[in-house]
Amino acid sequence: RKFMAKSGLLLNFFKDIRLELMGKYTDKPYETVHPYYQIERKDRQYYGSIVLSKPVLYPWLSAGIELNYTGNESEIPDYDYTQTLIGLSLTVNY
């Protein structure tokens, strides 16, 4: 049975700077036995995101920088991983 919890926060600072925080946890069991390892796989995934953005040139156009982290823990070590991404973005709000 899959379980997921998600939470987020949006803060507005001076000069129209926005900070968005988001976190998610997923507990995911698999219904069948893994064919190679002969055990039931159960994963726990963690996800976190931080976005810092500010309007540029026009009120409807924002530039931002984003940091994302994903981690997966599994009963089978081959499925354990971590991933970190950094991105730049332009967002149009309408």
Side-chain angles (χ1 to χ4, degrees), residues 10-29:
L10 172 62
L11 300 171
N12 290 311
F13 291 106
F14 62 96
K15 306 269 186 192
D16 295 325
I17 295 174
R18 292 175 51 156
L19 175 66
E20 299 174 48
L21 303 170
M22 201 271 288
K24 183 170 81 170
Y25 169 79
T26 305
D27 188 22
K28 184 179 178 185

Side-chain angles (χ1 to χ4, degrees), residues 5-89:
K6 186 175 180 180
S7 181
L9 178 67
L10 172 62
L11 300 171
N12 290 311
F13 291 106
F14 62 96
K15 306 269 186 192
D16 295 325
I17 295 174
R18 292 175 51 156
L19 175 66
E20 299 174 48
L21 303 170
M22 201 271 288
K24 183 170 81 170
Y25 169 79
T26 305
D27 188 22
K28 184 179 178 185
Y30 289 77
E31 294 180 8
T32 59
V33 172
H34 192 281
Y36 178 76
Y37 293 100
Q38 294 300 309
I39 60 173
E40 290 183 30
R41 180 177 164 195
K42 181 178 178 185
D43 288 10
R44 289 154 305 283
Q45 189 173 67
Y46 308 92
Y47 173 82
S49 174
I50 299 171
V51 180
L52 196 59
S53 63
K54 181 180 182 351
V56 291
L57 301 176
Y58 305 102
W60 47 265
L61 182 64
S62 296
I65 186 165
E66 183 174 352
L67 174 66
N68 293 316
Y69 170 82
T70 304
N72 195 72
E73 296 176 358
S74 179
E75 302 295 321
I76 301 171
D78 287 347
Y79 293 100
D80 289 347
Y81 65 88
T82 60
Q83 180 182 46
T84 304
L85 299 171
I86 296 175
L88 299 173
S89 64

